[in-house]
Amino acid sequence: QVQLQESGPGLVKPSETLSLTCTVSGGSITNNYWSWIRQPPGKGLEWIGYVSYSGSTNYNPSLKSRATISVETSKNHFSLNLSSVTAADTAVYYCARNSGNYGLMLYYFDYWGQGALLTVSS
Amino acid sequence: EIVITQSPATLSVSPGERATLSCRASQGVSSNLAWYQRKPGQAPRLLIYGASTRATGIPARFSGSGSGTEFTLTISSLQSEDFAVYYCQQYNKWPPLFGQGTKLEIK
């Protein structure tokens, strides 16, 4: 059974860069695509972007190019950096595995982590 | 841009009864719709994809229907472990979009 676990600092100051890592266990990170999804308090889920096992990426334009997702196959993990954070970036951040048709960019998410709360505050 | 609307926001149902959750898309999304269950402190779980295909290990009491703009998740006989928040997600058009969720609570 594939399991994902997010890890991160919990608290980030405004204007700094948020960094999170998702470690995949019970399966290989190769031959799959991996996403970050977040949920601000009281709001809905928002897809941030994905990285493939080969390092190709795709992002939600709503993040205005602040997001960078990378993969480290030797460690079976992938990471999210979100720059210039504000209070609006306070959210529970989930990592997930994509499933579906990658070529047509039609994907849903078949395995998720439990989520990590990131708070942006000085 | 597609808008995904779930209704109701909160649904109160007694154990053993049927629950019907709705998901509406502002534009047609064919059958490219998924449903998820989320419980506090747990990883969200994929229930349904392709509007009606149950994911691996999902009990038969969960069923999905619909296509185009109107979708339904039905839980035929509610068990105690089914009380949670449910989300739908369209993946017919990029970027993938989620609904706001329906909280299913014990009546």
Side-chain angles (χ1 to χ4, degrees), chain A residues 39 43-45 47 58-59 61 94 105-110 112-114, chain B residues 34 36 38 41 43-44 46 49 87 89 91-92 94-96 98 100:
Chain A
Q39 184 168 33
K43 297 189 176 182
L45 292 159
W47 174 76
N58 186 250
Y59 300 104
Y94 296 95
M105 295 177 68
L106 304 180
Y107 40 83
Y108 51 93
F109 308 99
D110 60 357
W112 297 60
Q114 291 185 321
Chain B
Y36 303 89
R38 195 191 68 186
L46 173 68
Y49 62 93
Y87 296 91
Q89 175 229 330
Y91 54 98
N92 192 64
W94 183 89
F98 294 86
Q100 295 293 312

PDB file of all heavy atoms in Angstrom, chain A residues 39 43-45 47 58-59 61 94 105-110 112-114, chain B residues 34 36 38 41 43-44 46 49 87 89 91-92 94-96 98 100:
ATOM      1  N   GLN A  39      -5.461  23.359   1.322  1.00  0.00           N
ATOM      2  CA  GLN A  39      -6.779  23.800   1.746  1.00  0.00           C
ATOM      3  C   GLN A  39      -6.631  24.865   2.823  1.00  0.00           C
ATOM      4  O   GLN A  39      -6.343  24.545   3.986  1.00  0.00           O
ATOM      5  CB  GLN A  39      -7.627  22.642   2.261  1.00  0.00           C
ATOM      6  CG  GLN A  39      -9.041  23.067   2.606  1.00  0.00           C
ATOM      7  CD  GLN A  39      -9.966  21.904   2.830  1.00  0.00           C
ATOM      8  OE1 GLN A  39      -9.549  20.863   3.323  1.00  0.00           O
ATOM      9  NE2 GLN A  39     -11.238  22.061   2.459  1.00  0.00           N
ATOM     10  N   LYS A  43     -11.869  27.152   3.469  1.00  0.00           N
ATOM     11  CA  LYS A  43     -11.974  27.210   2.003  1.00  0.00           C
ATOM     12  C   LYS A  43     -11.845  25.815   1.399  1.00  0.00           C
ATOM     13  O   LYS A  43     -11.637  24.831   2.099  1.00  0.00           O
ATOM     14  CB  LYS A  43     -10.901  28.143   1.433  1.00  0.00           C
ATOM     15  CG  LYS A  43     -11.061  29.585   1.888  1.00  0.00           C
ATOM     16  CD  LYS A  43     -10.131  30.509   1.131  1.00  0.00           C
ATOM     17  CE  LYS A  43     -10.358  31.955   1.529  1.00  0.00           C
ATOM     18  NZ  LYS A  43      -9.491  32.890   0.765  1.00  0.00           N
ATOM     19  N   GLY A  44     -11.973  25.762   0.074  1.00  0.00           N
ATOM     20  CA  GLY A  44     -11.922  24.478  -0.608  1.00  0.00           C
ATOM     21  C   GLY A  44     -10.509  24.036  -0.938  1.00  0.00           C
ATOM     22  O   GLY A  44      -9.525  24.733  -0.665  1.00  0.00           O
ATOM     23  N   LEU A  45     -10.412  22.869  -1.534  1.00  0.00           N
ATOM     24  CA  LEU A  45      -9.132  22.318  -1.941  1.00  0.00           C
ATOM     25  C   LEU A  45      -8.652  22.994  -3.218  1.00  0.00           C
ATOM     26  O   LEU A  45      -9.443  23.232  -4.137  1.00  0.00           O
ATOM     27  CB  LEU A  45      -9.266  20.812  -2.182  1.00  0.00           C
ATOM     28  CG  LEU A  45      -9.533  19.956  -0.941  1.00  0.00           C
ATOM     29  CD1 LEU A  45     -10.148  18.618  -1.322  1.00  0.00           C
ATOM     30  CD2 LEU A  45      -8.236  19.745  -0.169  1.00  0.00           C
ATOM     31  N   TRP A  47      -5.538  22.656  -6.151  1.00  0.00           N
ATOM     32  CA  TRP A  47      -4.383  21.951  -6.710  1.00  0.00           C
ATOM     33  C   TRP A  47      -3.283  22.959  -6.979  1.00  0.00           C
ATOM     34  O   TRP A  47      -3.515  24.003  -7.607  1.00  0.00           O
ATOM     35  CB  TRP A  47      -4.792  21.229  -7.983  1.00  0.00           C
ATOM     36  CG  TRP A  47      -3.665  20.587  -8.718  1.00  0.00           C
ATOM     37  CD1 TRP A  47      -3.024  19.428  -8.391  1.00  0.00           C
ATOM     38  CD2 TRP A  47      -3.035  21.066  -9.908  1.00  0.00           C
ATOM     39  NE1 TRP A  47      -2.033  19.161  -9.316  1.00  0.00           N
ATOM     40  CE2 TRP A  47      -2.023  20.145 -10.256  1.00  0.00           C
ATOM     41  CE3 TRP A  47      -3.222  22.181 -10.726  1.00  0.00           C
ATOM     42  CZ2 TRP A  47      -1.211  20.304 -11.372  1.00  0.00           C
ATOM     43  CZ3 TRP A  47      -2.423  22.348 -11.836  1.00  0.00           C
ATOM     44  CH2 TRP A  47      -1.424  21.413 -12.147  1.00  0.00           C
ATOM     45  N   ASN A  58       4.207  20.990 -13.763  1.00  0.00           N
ATOM     46  CA  ASN A  58       3.038  21.706 -14.261  1.00  0.00           C
ATOM     47  C   ASN A  58       2.389  22.367 -13.055  1.00  0.00           C
ATOM     48  O   ASN A  58       2.220  21.708 -12.007  1.00  0.00           O
ATOM     49  CB  ASN A  58       2.079  20.717 -14.934  1.00  0.00           C
ATOM     50  CG  ASN A  58       0.922  21.410 -15.597  1.00  0.00           C
ATOM     51  OD1 ASN A  58      -0.214  21.316 -15.157  1.00  0.00           O
ATOM     52  ND2 ASN A  58       1.189  22.114 -16.685  1.00  0.00           N
ATOM     53  N   TYR A  59       2.030  23.659 -13.183  1.00  0.00           N
ATOM     54  CA  TYR A  59       1.546  24.400 -12.037  1.00  0.00           C
ATOM     55  C   TYR A  59       0.208  25.076 -12.307  1.00  0.00           C
ATOM     56  O   TYR A  59      -0.118  25.438 -13.436  1.00  0.00           O
ATOM     57  CB  TYR A  59       2.566  25.495 -11.656  1.00  0.00           C
ATOM     58  CG  TYR A  59       3.934  24.972 -11.300  1.00  0.00           C
ATOM     59  CD1 TYR A  59       5.000  25.082 -12.182  1.00  0.00           C
ATOM     60  CD2 TYR A  59       4.153  24.357 -10.065  1.00  0.00           C
ATOM     61  CE1 TYR A  59       6.255  24.603 -11.861  1.00  0.00           C
ATOM     62  CE2 TYR A  59       5.399  23.862  -9.731  1.00  0.00           C
ATOM     63  CZ  TYR A  59       6.448  23.991 -10.635  1.00  0.00           C
ATOM     64  OH  TYR A  59       7.691  23.502 -10.306  1.00  0.00           O
ATOM     65  N   PRO A  61      -1.912  28.181 -12.540  1.00  0.00           N
ATOM     66  CA  PRO A  61      -1.552  29.589 -12.773  1.00  0.00           C
ATOM     67  C   PRO A  61      -1.965  30.518 -11.634  1.00  0.00           C
ATOM     68  O   PRO A  61      -1.449  31.629 -11.528  1.00  0.00           O
ATOM     69  CB  PRO A  61      -2.277  29.936 -14.082  1.00  0.00           C
ATOM     70  CG  PRO A  61      -3.268  28.861 -14.299  1.00  0.00           C
ATOM     71  CD  PRO A  61      -2.783  27.649 -13.599  1.00  0.00           C
ATOM     72  N   TYR A  94      -1.375  19.103   1.312  1.00  0.00           N
ATOM     73  CA  TYR A  94      -1.398  17.663   1.071  1.00  0.00           C
ATOM     74  C   TYR A  94      -0.501  17.314  -0.110  1.00  0.00           C
ATOM     75  O   TYR A  94      -0.451  18.064  -1.090  1.00  0.00           O
ATOM     76  CB  TYR A  94      -2.804  17.187   0.713  1.00  0.00           C
ATOM     77  CG  TYR A  94      -3.848  17.345   1.779  1.00  0.00           C
ATOM     78  CD1 TYR A  94      -4.688  18.465   1.802  1.00  0.00           C
ATOM     79  CD2 TYR A  94      -4.034  16.375   2.765  1.00  0.00           C
ATOM     80  CE1 TYR A  94      -5.663  18.604   2.770  1.00  0.00           C
ATOM     81  CE2 TYR A  94      -5.010  16.509   3.743  1.00  0.00           C
ATOM     82  CZ  TYR A  94      -5.822  17.626   3.732  1.00  0.00           C
ATOM     83  OH  TYR A  94      -6.794  17.766   4.700  1.00  0.00           O
ATOM     84  N   MET A 105      -3.591  15.247 -19.705  1.00  0.00           N
ATOM     85  CA  MET A 105      -3.661  16.071 -18.491  1.00  0.00           C
ATOM     86  C   MET A 105      -5.018  15.905 -17.798  1.00  0.00           C
ATOM     87  O   MET A 105      -5.608  16.869 -17.309  1.00  0.00           O
ATOM     88  CB  MET A 105      -3.374  17.531 -18.810  1.00  0.00           C
ATOM     89  CG  MET A 105      -1.943  17.719 -19.307  1.00  0.00           C
ATOM     90  SD  MET A 105      -1.567  19.414 -19.776  1.00  0.00           S
ATOM     91  CE  MET A 105      -1.617  20.225 -18.191  1.00  0.00           C
ATOM     92  N   LEU A 106      -5.498  14.696 -17.774  1.00  0.00           N
ATOM     93  CA  LEU A 106      -6.758  14.381 -17.099  1.00  0.00           C
ATOM     94  C   LEU A 106      -6.429  13.484 -15.917  1.00  0.00           C
ATOM     95  O   LEU A 106      -6.203  12.281 -16.096  1.00  0.00           O
ATOM     96  CB  LEU A 106      -7.723  13.665 -18.053  1.00  0.00           C
ATOM     97  CG  LEU A 106      -8.047  14.378 -19.353  1.00  0.00           C
ATOM     98  CD1 LEU A 106      -9.022  13.530 -20.181  1.00  0.00           C
ATOM     99  CD2 LEU A 106      -8.645  15.749 -19.096  1.00  0.00           C
ATOM    100  N   TYR A 107      -6.353  14.059 -14.734  1.00  0.00           N
ATOM    101  CA  TYR A 107      -5.934  13.224 -13.611  1.00  0.00           C
ATOM    102  C   TYR A 107      -6.684  13.563 -12.339  1.00  0.00           C
ATOM    103  O   TYR A 107      -7.097  14.685 -12.098  1.00  0.00           O
ATOM    104  CB  TYR A 107      -4.420  13.328 -13.370  1.00  0.00           C
ATOM    105  CG  TYR A 107      -3.850  14.715 -13.520  1.00  0.00           C
ATOM    106  CD1 TYR A 107      -3.893  15.624 -12.496  1.00  0.00           C
ATOM    107  CD2 TYR A 107      -3.268  15.101 -14.728  1.00  0.00           C
ATOM    108  CE1 TYR A 107      -3.373  16.899 -12.633  1.00  0.00           C
ATOM    109  CE2 TYR A 107      -2.749  16.377 -14.887  1.00  0.00           C
ATOM    110  CZ  TYR A 107      -2.808  17.274 -13.831  1.00  0.00           C
ATOM    111  OH  TYR A 107      -2.302  18.539 -13.996  1.00  0.00           O
ATOM    112  N   TYR A 108      -6.853  12.501 -11.554  1.00  0.00           N
ATOM    113  CA  TYR A 108      -7.391  12.606 -10.213  1.00  0.00           C
ATOM    114  C   TYR A 108      -6.294  12.083  -9.290  1.00  0.00           C
ATOM    115  O   TYR A 108      -5.152  11.893  -9.736  1.00  0.00           O
ATOM    116  CB  TYR A 108      -8.712  11.822 -10.102  1.00  0.00           C
ATOM    117  CG  TYR A 108      -8.619  10.405 -10.610  1.00  0.00           C
ATOM    118  CD1 TYR A 108      -8.329   9.350  -9.757  1.00  0.00           C
ATOM    119  CD2 TYR A 108      -8.817  10.121 -11.977  1.00  0.00           C
ATOM    120  CE1 TYR A 108      -8.220   8.057 -10.231  1.00  0.00           C
ATOM    121  CE2 TYR A 108      -8.711   8.827 -12.449  1.00  0.00           C
ATOM    122  CZ  TYR A 108      -8.406   7.799 -11.580  1.00  0.00           C
ATOM    123  OH  TYR A 108      -8.290   6.517 -12.050  1.00  0.00           O
ATOM    124  N   PHE A 109      -6.627  11.854  -8.017  1.00  0.00           N
ATOM    125  CA  PHE A 109      -5.581  11.591  -7.037  1.00  0.00           C
ATOM    126  C   PHE A 109      -5.936  10.358  -6.221  1.00  0.00           C
ATOM    127  O   PHE A 109      -6.921  10.364  -5.484  1.00  0.00           O
ATOM    128  CB  PHE A 109      -5.400  12.827  -6.154  1.00  0.00           C
ATOM    129  CG  PHE A 109      -5.203  14.068  -6.981  1.00  0.00           C
ATOM    130  CD1 PHE A 109      -6.263  14.928  -7.219  1.00  0.00           C
ATOM    131  CD2 PHE A 109      -3.986  14.342  -7.577  1.00  0.00           C
ATOM    132  CE1 PHE A 109      -6.117  16.052  -8.019  1.00  0.00           C
ATOM    133  CE2 PHE A 109      -3.811  15.466  -8.383  1.00  0.00           C
ATOM    134  CZ  PHE A 109      -4.888  16.312  -8.604  1.00  0.00           C
ATOM    135  N   ASP A 110      -5.132   9.301  -6.369  1.00  0.00           N
ATOM    136  CA  ASP A 110      -5.529   8.039  -5.761  1.00  0.00           C
ATOM    137  C   ASP A 110      -4.895   7.741  -4.406  1.00  0.00           C
ATOM    138  O   ASP A 110      -5.391   6.886  -3.671  1.00  0.00           O
ATOM    139  CB  ASP A 110      -5.326   6.869  -6.730  1.00  0.00           C
ATOM    140  CG  ASP A 110      -3.886   6.700  -7.184  1.00  0.00           C
ATOM    141  OD1 ASP A 110      -3.029   7.523  -6.809  1.00  0.00           O
ATOM    142  OD2 ASP A 110      -3.628   5.724  -7.915  1.00  0.00           O
ATOM    143  N   TRP A 112      -3.147   9.908  -0.952  1.00  0.00           N
ATOM    144  CA  TRP A 112      -2.897  11.204  -0.341  1.00  0.00           C
ATOM    145  C   TRP A 112      -2.128  11.032   0.966  1.00  0.00           C
ATOM    146  O   TRP A 112      -2.246  10.005   1.640  1.00  0.00           O
ATOM    147  CB  TRP A 112      -4.218  11.906   0.006  1.00  0.00           C
ATOM    148  CG  TRP A 112      -5.125  12.249  -1.108  1.00  0.00           C
ATOM    149  CD1 TRP A 112      -5.716  11.400  -2.011  1.00  0.00           C
ATOM    150  CD2 TRP A 112      -5.608  13.560  -1.423  1.00  0.00           C
ATOM    151  NE1 TRP A 112      -6.526  12.101  -2.860  1.00  0.00           N
ATOM    152  CE2 TRP A 112      -6.487  13.418  -2.520  1.00  0.00           C
ATOM    153  CE3 TRP A 112      -5.411  14.827  -0.874  1.00  0.00           C
ATOM    154  CZ2 TRP A 112      -7.147  14.524  -3.090  1.00  0.00           C
ATOM    155  CZ3 TRP A 112      -6.071  15.907  -1.439  1.00  0.00           C
ATOM    156  CH2 TRP A 112      -6.924  15.755  -2.534  1.00  0.00           C
ATOM    157  N   GLY A 113      -1.400  12.082   1.349  1.00  0.00           N
ATOM    158  CA  GLY A 113      -0.867  12.149   2.695  1.00  0.00           C
ATOM    159  C   GLY A 113      -1.911  12.703   3.655  1.00  0.00           C
ATOM    160  O   GLY A 113      -2.987  13.143   3.234  1.00  0.00           O
ATOM    161  N   GLN A 114      -1.588  12.689   4.938  1.00  0.00           N
ATOM    162  CA  GLN A 114      -2.527  13.164   5.960  1.00  0.00           C
ATOM    163  C   GLN A 114      -2.634  14.675   5.994  1.00  0.00           C
ATOM    164  O   GLN A 114      -3.590  15.213   6.551  1.00  0.00           O
ATOM    165  CB  GLN A 114      -2.084  12.666   7.343  1.00  0.00           C
ATOM    166  CG  GLN A 114      -2.234  11.182   7.544  1.00  0.00           C
ATOM    167  CD  GLN A 114      -1.900  10.778   8.968  1.00  0.00           C
ATOM    168  OE1 GLN A 114      -0.961  11.299   9.571  1.00  0.00           O
ATOM    169  NE2 GLN A 114      -2.651   9.842   9.507  1.00  0.00           N
TER     170      GLN A 114
ATOM    171  N   ALA B  34     -14.325  12.808  -9.960  1.00  0.00           N
ATOM    172  CA  ALA B  34     -13.934  11.924  -8.860  1.00  0.00           C
ATOM    173  C   ALA B  34     -14.569  12.404  -7.560  1.00  0.00           C
ATOM    174  O   ALA B  34     -14.899  13.583  -7.417  1.00  0.00           O
ATOM    175  CB  ALA B  34     -12.414  11.897  -8.725  1.00  0.00           C
ATOM    176  N   TYR B  36     -14.076  12.097  -3.189  1.00  0.00           N
ATOM    177  CA  TYR B  36     -13.147  11.783  -2.120  1.00  0.00           C
ATOM    178  C   TYR B  36     -13.855  11.897  -0.776  1.00  0.00           C
ATOM    179  O   TYR B  36     -14.790  12.690  -0.614  1.00  0.00           O
ATOM    180  CB  TYR B  36     -11.963  12.757  -2.107  1.00  0.00           C
ATOM    181  CG  TYR B  36     -11.197  12.814  -3.393  1.00  0.00           C
ATOM    182  CD1 TYR B  36     -11.562  13.697  -4.398  1.00  0.00           C
ATOM    183  CD2 TYR B  36     -10.107  11.978  -3.612  1.00  0.00           C
ATOM    184  CE1 TYR B  36     -10.871  13.752  -5.597  1.00  0.00           C
ATOM    185  CE2 TYR B  36      -9.408  12.030  -4.808  1.00  0.00           C
ATOM    186  CZ  TYR B  36      -9.792  12.918  -5.793  1.00  0.00           C
ATOM    187  OH  TYR B  36      -9.107  12.968  -6.973  1.00  0.00           O
ATOM    188  N   ARG B  38     -12.964  12.634   3.322  1.00  0.00           N
ATOM    189  CA  ARG B  38     -11.920  13.096   4.223  1.00  0.00           C
ATOM    190  C   ARG B  38     -12.429  13.089   5.652  1.00  0.00           C
ATOM    191  O   ARG B  38     -13.485  13.663   5.949  1.00  0.00           O
ATOM    192  CB  ARG B  38     -11.441  14.496   3.860  1.00  0.00           C
ATOM    193  CG  ARG B  38     -10.108  14.858   4.539  1.00  0.00           C
ATOM    194  CD  ARG B  38      -9.788  16.309   4.395  1.00  0.00           C
ATOM    195  NE  ARG B  38     -10.723  17.119   5.162  1.00  0.00           N
ATOM    196  CZ  ARG B  38     -10.762  18.435   5.134  1.00  0.00           C
ATOM    197  NH1 ARG B  38      -9.940  19.095   4.363  1.00  0.00           N
ATOM    198  NH2 ARG B  38     -11.627  19.094   5.854  1.00  0.00           N
ATOM    199  N   GLY B  41      -7.779  14.367  10.566  1.00  0.00           N
ATOM    200  CA  GLY B  41      -6.514  13.721  10.879  1.00  0.00           C
ATOM    201  C   GLY B  41      -6.129  12.573   9.984  1.00  0.00           C
ATOM    202  O   GLY B  41      -5.108  11.916  10.217  1.00  0.00           O
ATOM    203  N   ALA B  43      -5.702  10.893   5.889  1.00  0.00           N
ATOM    204  CA  ALA B  43      -5.502  11.222   4.490  1.00  0.00           C
ATOM    205  C   ALA B  43      -6.831  11.126   3.749  1.00  0.00           C
ATOM    206  O   ALA B  43      -7.602  10.185   3.973  1.00  0.00           O
ATOM    207  CB  ALA B  43      -4.493  10.259   3.869  1.00  0.00           C
ATOM    208  N   PRO B  44      -7.110  12.067   2.880  1.00  0.00           N
ATOM    209  CA  PRO B  44      -8.305  11.915   2.028  1.00  0.00           C
ATOM    210  C   PRO B  44      -8.240  10.597   1.262  1.00  0.00           C
ATOM    211  O   PRO B  44      -7.162  10.107   0.927  1.00  0.00           O
ATOM    212  CB  PRO B  44      -8.205  13.118   1.080  1.00  0.00           C
ATOM    213  CG  PRO B  44      -7.432  14.147   1.864  1.00  0.00           C
ATOM    214  CD  PRO B  44      -6.423  13.344   2.635  1.00  0.00           C
ATOM    215  N   LEU B  46      -9.710   8.329  -2.031  1.00  0.00           N
ATOM    216  CA  LEU B  46     -10.422   8.304  -3.307  1.00  0.00           C
ATOM    217  C   LEU B  46     -11.533   7.265  -3.222  1.00  0.00           C
ATOM    218  O   LEU B  46     -11.288   6.103  -2.894  1.00  0.00           O
ATOM    219  CB  LEU B  46      -9.461   7.958  -4.444  1.00  0.00           C
ATOM    220  CG  LEU B  46     -10.094   7.729  -5.819  1.00  0.00           C
ATOM    221  CD1 LEU B  46     -10.668   9.040  -6.384  1.00  0.00           C
ATOM    222  CD2 LEU B  46      -9.067   7.130  -6.785  1.00  0.00           C
ATOM    223  N   TYR B  49     -13.970   7.332  -9.306  1.00  0.00           N
ATOM    224  CA  TYR B  49     -13.401   8.078 -10.426  1.00  0.00           C
ATOM    225  C   TYR B  49     -14.190   7.706 -11.672  1.00  0.00           C
ATOM    226  O   TYR B  49     -14.964   6.728 -11.673  1.00  0.00           O
ATOM    227  CB  TYR B  49     -11.904   7.806 -10.602  1.00  0.00           C
ATOM    228  CG  TYR B  49     -11.557   6.366 -10.906  1.00  0.00           C
ATOM    229  CD1 TYR B  49     -11.424   5.921 -12.217  1.00  0.00           C
ATOM    230  CD2 TYR B  49     -11.388   5.439  -9.877  1.00  0.00           C
ATOM    231  CE1 TYR B  49     -11.122   4.601 -12.496  1.00  0.00           C
ATOM    232  CE2 TYR B  49     -11.080   4.118 -10.147  1.00  0.00           C
ATOM    233  CZ  TYR B  49     -10.949   3.704 -11.447  1.00  0.00           C
ATOM    234  OH  TYR B  49     -10.645   2.395 -11.720  1.00  0.00           O
ATOM    235  N   TYR B  87     -15.767  15.418  -1.051  1.00  0.00           N
ATOM    236  CA  TYR B  87     -15.421  16.393  -2.089  1.00  0.00           C
ATOM    237  C   TYR B  87     -15.542  15.741  -3.459  1.00  0.00           C
ATOM    238  O   TYR B  87     -15.195  14.569  -3.633  1.00  0.00           O
ATOM    239  CB  TYR B  87     -13.981  16.879  -1.928  1.00  0.00           C
ATOM    240  CG  TYR B  87     -13.714  17.644  -0.662  1.00  0.00           C
ATOM    241  CD1 TYR B  87     -13.276  16.989   0.494  1.00  0.00           C
ATOM    242  CD2 TYR B  87     -13.905  19.026  -0.603  1.00  0.00           C
ATOM    243  CE1 TYR B  87     -13.048  17.686   1.667  1.00  0.00           C
ATOM    244  CE2 TYR B  87     -13.667  19.727   0.569  1.00  0.00           C
ATOM    245  CZ  TYR B  87     -13.239  19.053   1.694  1.00  0.00           C
ATOM    246  OH  TYR B  87     -13.005  19.757   2.860  1.00  0.00           O
ATOM    247  N   GLN B  89     -14.313  16.345  -7.595  1.00  0.00           N
ATOM    248  CA  GLN B  89     -13.236  16.998  -8.345  1.00  0.00           C
ATOM    249  C   GLN B  89     -13.424  16.710  -9.835  1.00  0.00           C
ATOM    250  O   GLN B  89     -13.595  15.557 -10.229  1.00  0.00           O
ATOM    251  CB  GLN B  89     -11.872  16.461  -7.912  1.00  0.00           C
ATOM    252  CG  GLN B  89     -10.697  17.004  -8.714  1.00  0.00           C
ATOM    253  CD  GLN B  89      -9.757  15.929  -9.218  1.00  0.00           C
ATOM    254  OE1 GLN B  89      -9.601  14.884  -8.597  1.00  0.00           O
ATOM    255  NE2 GLN B  89      -9.112  16.174 -10.359  1.00  0.00           N
ATOM    256  N   TYR B  91     -11.823  16.586 -13.600  1.00  0.00           N
ATOM    257  CA  TYR B  91     -10.516  16.522 -14.257  1.00  0.00           C
ATOM    258  C   TYR B  91     -10.682  16.461 -15.772  1.00  0.00           C
ATOM    259  O   TYR B  91      -9.838  15.913 -16.484  1.00  0.00           O
ATOM    260  CB  TYR B  91      -9.684  15.350 -13.719  1.00  0.00           C
ATOM    261  CG  TYR B  91     -10.319  13.978 -13.765  1.00  0.00           C
ATOM    262  CD1 TYR B  91     -10.029  13.090 -14.781  1.00  0.00           C
ATOM    263  CD2 TYR B  91     -11.173  13.553 -12.758  1.00  0.00           C
ATOM    264  CE1 TYR B  91     -10.581  11.816 -14.815  1.00  0.00           C
ATOM    265  CE2 TYR B  91     -11.735  12.288 -12.774  1.00  0.00           C
ATOM    266  CZ  TYR B  91     -11.439  11.432 -13.805  1.00  0.00           C
ATOM    267  OH  TYR B  91     -11.996  10.164 -13.823  1.00  0.00           O
ATOM    268  N   ASN B  92     -11.759  17.075 -16.232  1.00  0.00           N
ATOM    269  CA  ASN B  92     -11.964  17.137 -17.685  1.00  0.00           C
ATOM    270  C   ASN B  92     -11.212  18.291 -18.331  1.00  0.00           C
ATOM    271  O   ASN B  92     -10.834  18.235 -19.497  1.00  0.00           O
ATOM    272  CB  ASN B  92     -13.453  17.279 -17.984  1.00  0.00           C
ATOM    273  CG  ASN B  92     -13.772  17.062 -19.441  1.00  0.00           C
ATOM    274  OD1 ASN B  92     -13.571  15.972 -19.980  1.00  0.00           O
ATOM    275  ND2 ASN B  92     -14.268  18.102 -20.103  1.00  0.00           N
ATOM    276  N   TRP B  94      -8.108  21.319 -17.559  1.00  0.00           N
ATOM    277  CA  TRP B  94      -7.010  21.737 -16.699  1.00  0.00           C
ATOM    278  C   TRP B  94      -7.246  23.173 -16.271  1.00  0.00           C
ATOM    279  O   TRP B  94      -7.662  24.002 -17.070  1.00  0.00           O
ATOM    280  CB  TRP B  94      -5.696  21.613 -17.482  1.00  0.00           C
ATOM    281  CG  TRP B  94      -4.489  21.953 -16.683  1.00  0.00           C
ATOM    282  CD1 TRP B  94      -3.738  21.117 -15.902  1.00  0.00           C
ATOM    283  CD2 TRP B  94      -3.886  23.242 -16.582  1.00  0.00           C
ATOM    284  NE1 TRP B  94      -2.706  21.818 -15.330  1.00  0.00           N
ATOM    285  CE2 TRP B  94      -2.775  23.113 -15.718  1.00  0.00           C
ATOM    286  CE3 TRP B  94      -4.178  24.480 -17.126  1.00  0.00           C
ATOM    287  CZ2 TRP B  94      -1.958  24.190 -15.399  1.00  0.00           C
ATOM    288  CZ3 TRP B  94      -3.364  25.559 -16.807  1.00  0.00           C
ATOM    289  CH2 TRP B  94      -2.271  25.404 -15.951  1.00  0.00           C
ATOM    290  N   PRO B  95      -6.970  23.533 -15.009  1.00  0.00           N
ATOM    291  CA  PRO B  95      -6.432  22.698 -13.939  1.00  0.00           C
ATOM    292  C   PRO B  95      -7.535  21.904 -13.233  1.00  0.00           C
ATOM    293  O   PRO B  95      -8.717  22.273 -13.312  1.00  0.00           O
ATOM    294  CB  PRO B  95      -5.824  23.722 -12.980  1.00  0.00           C
ATOM    295  CG  PRO B  95      -6.680  24.941 -13.140  1.00  0.00           C
ATOM    296  CD  PRO B  95      -7.063  24.973 -14.592  1.00  0.00           C
ATOM    297  N   PRO B  96      -7.195  20.834 -12.576  1.00  0.00           N
ATOM    298  CA  PRO B  96      -8.196  20.088 -11.815  1.00  0.00           C
ATOM    299  C   PRO B  96      -8.801  20.987 -10.736  1.00  0.00           C
ATOM    300  O   PRO B  96      -8.105  21.784 -10.108  1.00  0.00           O
ATOM    301  CB  PRO B  96      -7.398  18.924 -11.209  1.00  0.00           C
ATOM    302  CG  PRO B  96      -5.968  19.323 -11.286  1.00  0.00           C
ATOM    303  CD  PRO B  96      -5.834  20.255 -12.439  1.00  0.00           C
ATOM    304  N   PHE B  98     -11.752  21.332  -7.429  1.00  0.00           N
ATOM    305  CA  PHE B  98     -12.542  20.647  -6.419  1.00  0.00           C
ATOM    306  C   PHE B  98     -13.772  21.470  -6.051  1.00  0.00           C
ATOM    307  O   PHE B  98     -13.773  22.703  -6.143  1.00  0.00           O
ATOM    308  CB  PHE B  98     -11.709  20.454  -5.147  1.00  0.00           C
ATOM    309  CG  PHE B  98     -10.533  19.539  -5.303  1.00  0.00           C
ATOM    310  CD1 PHE B  98      -9.319  20.028  -5.754  1.00  0.00           C
ATOM    311  CD2 PHE B  98     -10.625  18.194  -4.972  1.00  0.00           C
ATOM    312  CE1 PHE B  98      -8.223  19.196  -5.901  1.00  0.00           C
ATOM    313  CE2 PHE B  98      -9.535  17.356  -5.109  1.00  0.00           C
ATOM    314  CZ  PHE B  98      -8.332  17.856  -5.569  1.00  0.00           C
ATOM    315  N   GLN B 100     -16.508  22.556  -2.899  1.00  0.00           N
ATOM    316  CA  GLN B 100     -16.276  23.075  -1.551  1.00  0.00           C
ATOM    317  C   GLN B 100     -16.526  22.031  -0.473  1.00  0.00           C
ATOM    318  O   GLN B 100     -16.193  22.255   0.695  1.00  0.00           O
ATOM    319  CB  GLN B 100     -17.180  24.282  -1.302  1.00  0.00           C
ATOM    320  CG  GLN B 100     -16.866  25.465  -2.193  1.00  0.00           C
ATOM    321  CD  GLN B 100     -15.517  26.071  -1.894  1.00  0.00           C
ATOM    322  OE1 GLN B 100     -15.177  26.336  -0.750  1.00  0.00           O
ATOM    323  NE2 GLN B 100     -14.707  26.287  -2.920  1.00  0.00           N
TER     324      GLN B 100
END
